[in-house]
């Protein structure tokens, strides 16, 4: 009975599927990736963490090789490659503005990144071991890490 309420639309070459619930008069569009991560990187480093921006535009991946990459969600293109950590990236989180990223690493540091220009605005140190987790409180005035 519920199956009759759903309508699926796919346009070849558009890389998306639209699903409409006729009963609720709502629809969602799912974007299909044009290439997999492995297609883009033949010998990819192991991804340790991922974070999605609050505005839904970007995804950040942190890897075992200390790299942080910012991806455009809509088409899967690489927007930024952030360099600065020297250990595994264990945690990533976007600030509420979606313009700033917090990273934590096994190199005992946290970094705050300006995504627009790929720069590290601050490096926070003081841990006596690798940082496995971090979190942004409220609008980003405070950070927790462990």
């Amino acid at each position: 009975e519920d199956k009759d309420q759903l309508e699926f639309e796919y346009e070849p070459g558009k890389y998306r599927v639209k699903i409409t619930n006729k009963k609720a008069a709502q629809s969602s569009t799912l974007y299909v990736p044009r290439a997999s991560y492995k297609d883009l990187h033949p010998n990819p480093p192991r991804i340790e963490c991922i974070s999605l921006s609050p505005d839904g535009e970007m995804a950040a991946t942190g890897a075992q090789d200390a790299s942080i990459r910012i991806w455009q969600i809509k088409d899967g293109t690489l927007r930024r490659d952030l360099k600065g950590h020297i250990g595994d990236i264990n945690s990533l989180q976007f600030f509420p503005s979606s313009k700033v990223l917090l990273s934590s690493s096994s190199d005992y540091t946290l970094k705050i990144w300006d995504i627009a220009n790929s720069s590290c605005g601050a490096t926070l140190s003081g841990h006596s071991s690798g940082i496995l987790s971090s979190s942004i409180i409220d609008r980003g005035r405070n950070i927790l890490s462990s």
Side-chain angles (χ1 to χ4, degrees):
E1 185 176 337
D2 290 335
K3 289 181 183 177
D4 296 334
Q5 301 299 320
L6 296 178
E7 181 178 276
F8 297 88
E9 294 176 41
Y10 171 72
E11 297 176 49
K14 294 288 184 178
Y15 299 100
R16 64 179 179 220
V17 176
K18 184 176 181 182
I19 303 169
T20 303
N21 182 331
K22 292 187 269 185
K23 185 176 181 180
Q26 295 177 332
S27 67
S28 295
T29 302
L30 305 173
Y31 290 91
V32 180
R34 295 176 190 205
S36 71
Y37 183 74
K38 200 165 187 169
D39 291 337
L40 298 170
H41 301 281
N43 298 309
R46 189 173 84 194
I47 294 176
E48 300 288 336
C49 55
I50 188 168
S51 180
L52 302 177
S53 63
D55 66 7
E57 297 288 321
M58 296 174 285
T61 57
Q64 193 177 35
D65 67 351
S67 66
I68 300 170
R69 292 187 172 99
I70 309 297
W71 305 89
Q72 183 72 38
I73 290 177
K74 191 172 188 174
D75 60 10
T77 58
L78 179 64
R79 288 185 58 184
R80 301 278 187 263
D81 197 356
L82 309 177
K83 303 280 187 196
H85 281 292
I86 57 171
D88 298 4
I89 307 301
N90 296 320
S91 174
L92 294 170
Q93 187 167 2
F94 280 92
F95 279 72
S97 68
S98 296
K99 296 177 181 178
V100 179
L101 182 72
L102 173 67
S103 63
S104 64
S105 173
S106 62
D107 66 7
Y108 303 7
T109 66
L110 294 135
K111 291 186 181 285
I112 299 174
W113 302 90
D114 179 343
I115 303 245
N117 61 20
S118 303
S119 67
C120 177
T123 298
L124 309 173
S125 57
H127 279 267
S128 58
S129 62
I131 304 167
L132 300 177
S133 179
S134 59
S135 187
I136 298 167
I137 300 172
D138 198 21
R139 294 178 300 192
R141 293 178 182 249
N142 294 296
I143 297 168
L144 291 176
S145 60
S146 64

